[in-house]
Amino acid sequence: MLVNAPQALRERFIGITGKMTLIRAIAALRPGALVSTTASTKMALRALANRWLMLDAEIKEHEAVLEQLVRAHAPALMDAPGVSTGTIADMLIVLGDNPQRIRSEAAFAKLCGVCPVPASSGKTNRHRLSSVLQFSAEVGFENSLVGGPFISFCRG
């Protein structure tokens, strides 16, 4: 919307760097009486910026709660380098109530859908990935390659 705003309004925000700085500057707009396209654009931009700020604050609250929950259930995984809270939460959901059922790295790979399955026919000897997979587990596995820490967690 800012791209198509009147020239004077667009120029007001050209020098602003940083997403949050721009959003806060737009949220501080005062549209005044709605008698021009500039005023109506200011009103719409301000409403969008305020909504963005509210959603950003809500997301931060949810992320803090998720981090507390994940830290309570898998504190060792939270200390593993390069593993995000969201990835750990996804993996905990996939593992379910009984993480002890994953007894080896092979079982973990199978659950994630990254274990090789024979796909040979006749003279060729080849493998493919399993077509039965847990999408969130596969994404977590590929994003962080944390099989070792998760296996340690499963073994308790």
Side-chain angles (χ1 to χ4, degrees):
M1 185 177 286
L2 190 58
V3 172
N4 294 322
Q7 181 72 25
L9 186 57
R10 276 197 323 264
E11 288 175 354
R12 185 172 174 182
F13 299 106
I14 287 176
I16 296 177
T17 58
K19 180 171 46 174
M20 286 303 290
T21 308
L22 177 63
I23 295 293
R24 287 192 177 107
I26 292 172
L29 286 172
R30 302 286 178 227
L34 298 178
V35 293
S36 67
T37 56
T38 301
S40 62
T41 304
K42 283 182 181 180
M43 187 180 94
L45 284 170
R46 182 178 178 198
L48 288 172
N50 285 326
R51 181 70 180 141
W52 194 95
L53 290 170
M54 285 182 357
L55 289 171
D56 184 57
E58 185 179 342
I59 289 168
K60 287 178 181 173
E61 288 175 21
H62 289 299
E63 285 175 345
V65 170
L66 181 63
E67 184 172 343
Q68 288 175 346
L69 290 170
V70 169
R71 192 168 294 282
H73 287 85
L77 291 177
M78 289 295 290
D79 296 333
V83 185
S84 73
T85 304
T87 299
I88 297 170
D90 283 346
M91 297 310 297
L92 290 173
I93 290 168
V94 169
L95 291 175
D97 291 337
N98 186 10
Q100 287 75 24
R101 68 188 170 130
I102 308 299
R103 295 187 179 131
S104 67
E105 290 183 16
F108 181 69
K110 185 169 184 163
L111 178 69
C112 294
V114 294
C115 65
V117 176
S120 303
S121 62
K123 298 177 185 176
T124 61
N125 185 12
R126 60 188 180 89
H127 292 81
R128 63 172 174 78
L129 291 181
S130 173
S131 60
V132 178
L133 58 96
Q134 295 282 340
F135 179 72
S136 59
E138 179 193 16
V139 169
F141 187 85
E142 288 178 356
N143 284 346
S144 58
L145 297 175
V146 292
F150 279 106
I151 297 303
S152 300
F153 169 75
C154 294
R155 291 180 181 160

